Amino acid sequence: MYAYDEYDQAIVDQRVSQFRDQVRRRIAGELSEDEFRPLRLQNGLYLQLHAYMLRIAVPYGTLSSAQLRQLGYIARRYDRNYGHFTTRQNIQFNWIKLEETPDLLADLARVQMHGIQTSGNCIRNITADQYAGAAADEIEDGRVYCEIMRQWSTFHPEFSFLPRKFKIALTGSPNDRAAVRVHDIGIRMHRNAAGEIGFEVMVGGGQGRTPMIAKTIREFLPKEHLLSYLEAILRVYNQFGRRDNLFKARIKILVHEIGVEKMRAAVEDEWQQIKDGPLVLPQATIDAIAAHFAPPDYRPQAAEQPEVERLRRSDGEFALWERTNLFPHKVPGYVIVNASLKPEGLAPGDATAEQMEIVADLADRYSFSEVRVTHAQNLVLPHVAVKDLPEVWRRLREIGFATPNLGLITDIIACPGLDYCSLANARSIPVAQRLTHRFSDLARVHDIGELQIKISGCINACGHHHVGHIGILGVEKNGEEFYQITLGGSADQDASIGTILGPAVSSKAVIDAVDNLIGTYLDIRQGRETFLHTVRRVGVAPFKERLYATA
Amino acid sequence: MPLLKNGKEVEDPWHLAVDGDALPVNGPVIVFLARWKAEREALLRRNIGVGVRLKNTDKVAELADDLDRLGVVALEFPKFSDGRAYTQARLLRERYAYRGELRATGNVLPDQLLFMHRCGFDAFEATDPRVLRNWENVVGAFSLFYQPTGDGRATVNGLRQTRAASDNEGSR
Ligand code: HEM
Ligand code: SF4
């Protein structure tokens, strides 16, 4: 994976010194809170309901074991012993003291991490397929281009005060695991008719209060033009994006208002003027970055693995986990292992210092020291030899990260909600926890099959509810928590926005409501079709009828 | 108002003529775009320096043919968070090769100076006195930069290429 050279390191170190000085001035009273606010936000430091919250970037979801171990240290030293992995592949710490943040950031810089551009109206952390570089189905390791974009976007002088925040996601696989079509810019790698690999560029997707699916503005962009094309899009957006209304400031509104044709024309026009300028990516530059992502030293593996075979036959729990939480690797004898951060009854995406350290140890021993963070708030050991599966499984089980529920009803995405967030209408985490209790019977969970529940505590949609197969949105009615339910959303290659089912249900009723929807599905599904397929086939009416008949 | 130019506090010789006001009898003057377009000939005939101030919704291309006649182009930051003038600045410097004074006006804060400088601004109206005091500090906060802009600073990529080339020399 990418390792900083002395230039990258100097930039991050200089940032720490700068922030240390700003914090000193704030504490000395030389800066008012109003003046300090934008400065701390540029380092990912938010003031939340109870304390400061620090958001740390995990570029394209890739962590080294040393970085994860350091996050564990930070959880212990500066927080209440845990951290929260988010839907943007970042990690947040919720109980931070202002005066300690410079030291915290210095500790992060020691392992090449930071909170730069995790907040504010700038280009945010760039997200990617969590299986990049390992997945059997990928065309190319997209992290190479994510790293190139990371460098280009870091402290970009022209684009640090955009109309609104700006999120870019990239997938190097035709099976989109990065939700690229709900990002301001979504990038999909593919081959053109001549067999060359390049990018499809989509623009104007997003969630929040006006969810939209991104539209393609360029079918095929050669690699060398990646940065100039992005610069053209950002330049058009910086000039013409709306600034009169915060809720209409995202690029999706610009694209929606002027139409994709005009947007394309404006971008192409700008691009023609800069495409052969200093942003051209020479092959040597791409190769130099790609060298960092060279495949690890895979070992030839025996085709037969008697111990694994034996365990598979003797231990149903292992067999179920193996069927559920793994993903095919591109190298024979290896698999991708998902550590589920969704055990029954706990907050989705939370991990304690000890859990982080143990996953880091497992990565050192069994996954070439690499870990990934997924947008579904799980962790991944991307390169595990099949022969090591029994040991990895045992160790993950000991720390509660081996629930066999990946992609199933209890693999819930939830935002921090009213437990932490100052913008929330309702709590999210307790709803997720109650759902995991209700659906604790694994046989039933597996019978229900593939199903994504996504929960947000308000319309900002940090919990991706619009693209949940079942979306749950917290709203407030007469001072009480209510939940609006949507059906049929999806964030993958055939992305769609969910349809609102009907009036919001009370907090007390929301778990029964989900159960009721599942009941309808189980009754009307045909063969092995998934929940999403059933909704797409029959629409929301049958679900709605039965839900509100009993309510 | 004090002006920070090329890192030093200087007397501002320019007078901003608000639309409708008579032009001053002498001294260089800055006008808004509409007036420039309407009174271009007369302004040039004064022969003592003319500059144009653009709103951040004006198109810089409108000045493209006149840039070598202008002593100042002033751009606006109505709020520090309204970043449209960064794009205008880069277009003026990099696309239209403007070489005269490029001035930032409005809500100019110390922590934005480096970004502005990188986009081509070389003069800053200092409504906030901290702008004058902190120049060295804020512009010196970073010594390395990823993006190529027209500011002449080396980019990290450029440094890497130079290093790779000299490594090759060394190994030969
Ligand atoms: C706790 C503090 C947080 C605050 C104040 C906050 C604020 C916001 C706001 C205001 C929006 C709407 C932006 C818009 O529509 O223009 C938003 C969207 C979003 N946030 Fe958060 N958020 C927080 C935490 C999180 C967390 C923990 C995650 C990840 C789990 C997250 C991920 C997202 C995502 C994915 C979106 C929607 C995608 C989009 O921007 O269109 N946020 N957030
Ligand atoms: S969706 Fe709303 S409640 Fe949840 S984290 Fe985002 S802003 Fe907070």
Side-chain angles (χ1 to χ4, degrees), chain A residues 454-516:
Chain A
K454 306 189 180 191
I455 311 174
S456 304
C458 79
I459 193 60
N460 287 322
C462 305
H464 289 201
H465 67 275
H466 296 299
V467 291
H469 301 167
I470 298 178
I472 300 180
L473 163 65
V475 293
E476 192 228 279
K477 266 194 191 174
N478 308 324
E480 280 186 51
E481 293 169 302
F482 269 68
Y483 295 90
Q484 189 178 70
I485 299 177
T486 50
L487 286 190
S490 161
D492 61 14
Q493 56 282 1
D494 54 354
S496 56
I497 305 293
T499 308
I500 296 174
L501 209 50
V505 300
S506 71
S507 174
K508 197 160 160 279
V510 66
I511 308 301
D512 287 335
V514 172
D515 217 339
N516 180 303

Side-chain angles (χ1 to χ4, degrees), chain B residues 85-138:
Chain B
Y86 292 105
T87 291
Q88 290 178 310
R90 285 194 67 193
L91 291 175
L92 282 166
R93 290 290 194 215
E94 295 167 47
R95 183 156 307 158
Y96 301 108
Y98 174 61
R99 295 279 162 264
E101 177 181 317
L102 185 55
R103 177 182 292 204
T105 73
N107 191 197
V108 177
L109 296 178
D111 291 281
Q112 267 77 64
L113 291 178
L114 179 56
F115 286 145
M116 290 179 180
H117 194 243
R118 295 217 61 216
C119 287
F121 289 99
D122 56 2
F124 309 88
E125 286 186 1
T127 32
D128 185 328
R130 288 173 302 186
V131 165
L132 299 174
R133 291 202 302 272
N134 284 296
W135 173 257
E136 305 282 333
N137 199 357
V138 294

Side-chain angles (χ1 to χ4, degrees), chain A residues 2 5-8 10-11 14-15 18 21-22 25 30-31 35 38-39 42 150-162 231 235 238-241 243 270 273-274 278-279 281-282 285 289, chain B residues 56-57 59 79-88 90-91 94-96 109-112 114-116 118-119 128 130 134 137-138 140-149 156-157 159-161 163:
Chain A
Y2 189 74
D5 64 11
E6 74 262 35
Y7 305 125
D8 302 301
I11 289 173
Q14 289 169 355
R15 177 57 152 207
Q18 183 192 41
D21 184 54
Q22 289 162 344
R25 279 150 60 203
E30 293 166 37
L31 288 173
E35 293 169 323
L39 305 178
Q42 284 165 14
R150 182 193 74 80
Q151 297 187 17
W152 161 79
S153 62
T154 299
F155 302 137
H156 197 299
E158 184 179 347
F159 306 135
S160 288
F161 296 94
L162 297 167
E231 188 133 314
R235 187 168 273 176
N238 192 39
Q239 293 176 93
F240 303 113
R243 293 176 188 262
E270 177 60 35
Q273 316 222 37
I274 59 175
L279 284 174
L281 283 170
T285 301
I289 301 282
Chain B
N56 68 9
T57 46
K59 285 204 165 23
K79 293 182 290 192
F80 78 85
S81 55
D82 183 342
R84 283 177 274 203
Y86 292 105
T87 291
Q88 290 178 310
R90 285 194 67 193
L91 291 175
E94 295 167 47
R95 183 156 307 158
Y96 301 108
L109 296 178
D111 291 281
Q112 267 77 64
L114 179 56
F115 286 145
M116 290 179 180
R118 295 217 61 216
C119 287
D128 185 328
R130 288 173 302 186
N134 284 296
N137 199 357
V138 294
F142 290 90
S143 61
L144 291 154
F145 306 92
Y146 288 117
Q147 309 76 12
T149 65
V156 165
N157 235 344
L159 295 170
R160 285 179 183 145
Q161 278 160 12
R163 189 179 52 187

Side-chain angles (χ1 to χ4, degrees), chain A residues 207-228:
Chain A
Q207 303 193 49
R209 66 188 61 222
T210 14
M212 291 195 189
I213 303 293
K215 303 182 184 60
T216 299
I217 57 167
R218 186 160 250 281
E219 285 292 342
F220 188 84
L221 180 71
K223 289 173 176 175
E224 78 225 56
H225 293 308
L226 177 63
L227 295 185
S228 58

Side-chain angles (χ1 to χ4, degrees), chain A residues 58-363:
Chain A
V58 180
Y60 34 91
T62 294
L63 281 173
S64 69
S65 53
Q67 290 173 326
L68 183 57
R69 200 168 285 117
Q70 185 78 340
L71 292 175
Y73 167 77
I74 283 167
R76 188 176 291 125
R77 164 73 183 75
Y78 300 100
D79 198 291
R80 298 185 178 174
N81 209 47
Y82 68 97
H84 177 73
F85 290 98
T86 80
T87 52
R88 304 216 63 259
Q89 298 180 315
N90 290 328
I91 182 166
Q92 294 185 174
F93 289 105
N94 286 308
W95 303 98
I96 297 301
K97 295 191 191 69
L98 175 62
E99 57 278 17
E100 293 185 344
T101 46
D103 288 342
L104 196 172
L105 292 179
D107 283 341
L108 278 177
R110 244 166 246 134
V111 291
Q112 314 191 341
M113 297 187 82
H114 56 73
I116 295 164
Q117 288 174 211
T118 58
S119 169
N121 294 334
C122 53
I123 303 169
R124 301 289 190 88
N125 184 34
I126 291 161
T127 52
D129 179 1
Q130 66 271 15
Y131 301 151
D137 63 4
E138 84 178 358
I139 295 168
E140 204 177 303
D141 185 349
R143 293 175 303 164
V144 175
Y145 304 93
C146 291
E147 175 56 30
I148 288 171
M149 291 191 280
R150 182 193 74 80
Q151 297 187 17
W152 161 79
S153 62
T154 299
F155 302 137
H156 197 299
E158 184 179 347
F159 306 135
S160 288
F161 296 94
L162 297 167
R164 200 72 179 90
K165 57 174 134 176
F166 204 91
K167 300 176 180 176
I168 303 176
L170 180 144
T171 172
S173 158
N175 301 308
D176 178 9
R177 290 173 287 265
V180 305
R181 303 194 65 181
V182 288
H183 282 77
D184 296 284
I185 293 180
I187 303 175
R188 183 179 72 89
M189 300 192 77
H190 68 118
R191 271 178 220 281
N192 66 6
E196 298 150 342
I197 296 175
F199 310 104
E200 176 189 356
V201 183
M202 295 160 259
V203 64
Q207 303 193 49
R209 66 188 61 222
T210 14
M212 291 195 189
I213 303 293
K215 303 182 184 60
T216 299
I217 57 167
R218 186 160 250 281
E219 285 292 342
F220 188 84
L221 180 71
K223 289 173 176 175
E224 78 225 56
H225 293 308
L226 177 63
L227 295 185
S228 58
Y229 200 79
L230 292 181
E231 188 133 314
I233 297 174
L234 266 300
R235 187 168 273 176
V236 168
Y237 173 55
N238 192 39
Q239 293 176 93
F240 303 113
R242 285 182 61 172
R243 293 176 188 262
D244 58 326
N245 181 340
L246 190 67
F247 299 137
K248 297 192 187 298
R250 295 289 286 268
I251 197 173
K252 63 190 170 190
I253 304 292
L254 176 65
V255 175
H256 182 71
E257 285 179 353
I258 69 173
V260 68
E261 292 308 323
K262 270 205 180 137
M263 184 70 194
R264 178 182 297 126
V267 169
E268 291 283 326
D269 200 41
E270 177 60 35
W271 184 52
Q272 287 307 322
Q273 316 222 37
I274 59 175
K275 73 189 263 281
D276 300 314
L279 284 174
V280 171
L281 283 170
Q283 191 58 43
T285 301
I286 298 177
D287 291 345
I289 301 282
H292 286 276
F293 296 96
D297 196 6
Y298 299 115
R299 294 296 146 107
Q301 301 290 326
E304 306 284 314
Q305 298 290 349
E307 205 226 330
V308 182
E309 197 47 50
R310 191 189 50 72
L311 195 61
R312 203 174 278 149
R313 269 183 275 114
S314 65
D315 192 324
E317 205 185 322
F318 173 76
L320 189 62
W321 174 81
E322 208 192 14
R323 268 209 314 279
T324 313
N325 287 18
L326 306 188
F327 191 85
H329 198 284
K330 58 167 83 167
V331 175
Y334 285 85
V335 282
I336 299 171
V337 172
N338 283 275
S340 167
L341 273 56
K342 317 292 177 68
E344 183 181 343
L346 294 181
D350 274 6
T352 64
E354 293 71 30
Q355 287 170 325
M356 290 186 227
E357 285 160 353
I358 287 168
V359 174
D361 289 346
L362 286 175

Side-chain angles (χ1 to χ4, degrees), chain B residues 62-76:
Chain B
E62 301 222 41
L63 292 180
D65 295 334
D66 287 326
L67 285 171
D68 48 9
R69 296 180 183 83
L70 300 179
V72 170
V73 176
L75 302 177
E76 298 185 347

